């Protein structure tokens, strides 16, 4: 299935990513409601990676326009106190608005957002904090299907029904999980294998070149740089890569030149799409990849 992904992502200013067919939003930076307009009303599940203001300041308007009974559900890192504070403020600021739910989640949390579709929360290292404390998360979306085991594929429908009644559905089928979409949030590249077999990987690439403070200063929130993201994606099995969160210190031409150069040097064959600073990229996967 091809997904309609629309995104705005500019480091320090705003990030939000919408997967329309999944009724799903990652992060909720400034300009979210104005960028999506009526399509914002389709969103049922909002997964916020962390509490930096460029990832959350679009929530008040989004909720005010789109809250209805039971939705949107807003999932956030459970140990980040900013979110309960914001939820409490919005209840007082917009007392006539009801319906949204705020749910703290942690590394390993699994949320079913549609039939056969799950979102898995994964710890990242953007915000330095001890293990077991959850302040910054990445997300992986899985499609879950049941496939009939080979030894039962020749049986009739009636025979299969009888087996299910006798021994249960799990006896005749096995579960197939496909990582259809992954979103890094803000993070350095750490464990490459966690993104392996992502059909679509949306990953930040804040810096075109390594920034010393972003990897060595324990006081700083950590980000990725372009070369390491591309190298990681080449080393693992990624089918499509969307790069986001570029710093405004770089022009569109600088981003294009650096990305094309590295793609050539690394021999990358899968399509790479770019979300440029200050631009909404609509239906990204239907646009031209930088290496096409």
């Amino acid at each position: 299935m091809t997904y309609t992904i629309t995104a705005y992502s500019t480091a320090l200013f705003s990030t939000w990513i919408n997967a329309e067919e999944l009724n799903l939003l990652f992060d909720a930076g400034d300009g979210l409601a104005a960028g999506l307009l009526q399509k914002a009303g389709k969103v049922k599940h909002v997964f916020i990676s962390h509490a930096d203001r460029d990832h959350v300041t679009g929530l008040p308007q989004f909720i005010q326009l789109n809250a209805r009974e039971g939705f949107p559900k807003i999932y956030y890192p459970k140990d980040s106190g900013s979110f309960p504070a914001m939820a409490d403020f919005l209840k007082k600021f917009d007392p006539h608005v009801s319906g949204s739910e705020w749910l703290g989640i942690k590394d390993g949390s699994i949320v079913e957002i549609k039939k056969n579709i799950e979102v898995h929360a994964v710890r990242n290292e953007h915000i330095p904090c001890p293990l077991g404390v959850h302040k910054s998360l990445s997300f992986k979306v899985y499609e879950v299907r049941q496939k009939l085991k080979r030894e039962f594929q020749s049986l009739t429908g009636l025979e299969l029904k009888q087996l299910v009644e006798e021994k249960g559905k799990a006896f005749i089928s096995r579960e197939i999980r496909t990582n259809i979409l992954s979103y890094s949030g803000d993070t350095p590249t750490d464990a490459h294998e966690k993104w392996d077999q992502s059909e679509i990987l949306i990953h930040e690439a804040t810096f075109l070149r390594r920034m010393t403070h972003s990897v060595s200063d324990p006081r700083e929130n950590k980000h990725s740089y372009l070369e390491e993201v591309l190298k990681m994606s080449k080393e693992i099995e990624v089918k499509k890569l969307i790069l986001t969160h570029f710093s405004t210190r770089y022009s569109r031409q600088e981003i294009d030149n650096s990305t094309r150069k590295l793609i050539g040097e690394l021999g990358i064959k899968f399509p790479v799409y770019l979300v440029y600073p200050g631009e909404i990229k609509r239906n990204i996967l239907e646009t031209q990849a930088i290496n096409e």
Side-chain angles (χ1 to χ4, degrees):
M1 180 177 181
T2 300
Y3 295 100
T4 305
I5 298 173
T6 295
Y8 181 95
S9 185
T10 304
L12 289 179
F13 291 93
S14 175
T15 289
W16 52 264
I17 290 123
N18 175 233
E20 187 174 331
E21 291 82 0
L22 298 173
N23 308 112
L24 175 64
L25 184 72
F26 292 122
D27 285 329
D30 194 32
L32 163 63
L36 288 179
L37 298 175
Q38 287 86 352
K39 287 190 175 184
K42 296 181 179 180
V43 174
K44 293 183 177 180
H45 300 273
V46 182
F47 288 82
I48 306 292
S49 61
H50 63 294
D52 284 356
R53 300 306 179 256
D54 54 323
H55 293 254
V56 300
T57 52
L59 277 174
Q61 178 73 341
F62 169 77
I63 291 171
Q64 194 275 332
L65 289 172
N66 298 294
R68 64 271 198 196
E69 188 61 35
F71 294 105
K73 296 184 187 298
I74 300 161
Y75 307 90
Y76 62 88
K78 76 175 188 67
D79 297 314
S80 180
S82 298
F83 294 98
M86 178 180 277
D88 185 59
F89 166 75
L90 291 178
K91 287 176 184 176
K92 296 174 182 177
F93 188 73
D94 284 324
H96 61 288
V97 174
S98 62
S100 61
E101 293 185 31
W102 297 67
L103 303 160
I105 59 175
K106 61 183 181 179
D107 178 39
S109 291
I110 299 174
V111 179
E112 185 177 52
I113 61 169
K114 301 181 78 168
K115 184 180 179 181
N116 300 323
I117 301 291
E118 298 175 347
V119 177
H120 294 213
V122 182
R123 176 190 168 97
N124 67 44
E125 303 304 322
H126 174 59
I127 299 176
C129 59
L131 289 175
V133 176
H134 303 86
K135 293 193 174 183
S136 185
L137 296 170
S138 305
F139 303 104
K140 302 171 73 174
V141 184
Y142 285 90
E143 181 181 50
V144 183
R145 297 289 183 189
Q146 299 296 323
K147 185 174 182 179
L148 188 65
K149 293 178 181 177
R150 183 174 295 179
E151 60 266 36
F152 302 118
Q153 290 178 1
S154 61
L155 299 184
T156 66
L158 180 58
E159 290 170 328
L160 290 172
K161 183 180 178 181
Q162 290 173 339
L163 272 177
V164 170
E165 289 173 351
E166 292 171 8
K167 300 189 176 182
K169 192 173 181 180
F171 180 75
I172 66 167
S173 62
R174 60 189 178 93
E175 190 174 80
I176 304 294
R177 290 176 177 267
T178 304
N179 183 191
I180 57 176
L181 177 64
S182 297
Y183 171 59
S184 73
D186 286 4
T187 182
T189 53
D190 42 26
H192 294 192
E193 64 274 8
K194 72 183 177 185
W195 304 122
D196 195 18
Q197 298 184 9
S198 296
E199 293 195 344
I200 304 166
L201 173 60
I202 304 173
H203 203 289
E204 71 123 300
T206 304
F207 303 111
L208 297 187
R209 291 164 288 280
R210 181 181 289 275
M211 306 298 289
T212 304
H213 74 275
S214 71
V215 293
S216 63
D217 189 340
R219 299 167 298 177
E220 293 281 350
N221 288 352
K222 295 176 174 59
H223 291 280
S224 297
Y225 71 100
L226 178 64
E227 183 174 3
E228 68 184 2
V229 177
L230 289 172
K231 281 183 175 178
M232 175 192 73
S233 301
K234 173 68 184 303
E235 290 171 5
I236 60 179
E237 188 177 338
V238 170
K239 292 185 179 179
K240 297 176 182 178
L241 176 65
I242 299 173
L243 296 175
T244 65
H245 208 264
F246 290 106
S247 169
T248 55
R249 72 185 67 188
Y250 308 117
S251 68
R252 180 173 178 146
Q253 191 63 51
E254 286 178 292
I255 294 169
D256 281 356
N257 290 344
S258 295
T259 305
R260 287 194 178 104
K261 180 175 182 291
L262 287 166
I263 285 172
E265 290 174 354
L266 295 169
I268 288 174
K269 303 301 182 184
F270 53 81
V272 178
Y273 303 87
L274 307 181
V275 179
Y276 297 103
E279 298 182 20
I280 296 178
K281 195 71 172 282
R282 300 188 186 279
N283 202 0
I284 295 169
L285 299 179
E286 293 300 314
T287 64
Q288 186 172 13
I290 189 72
N291 52 339
E292 288 181 343

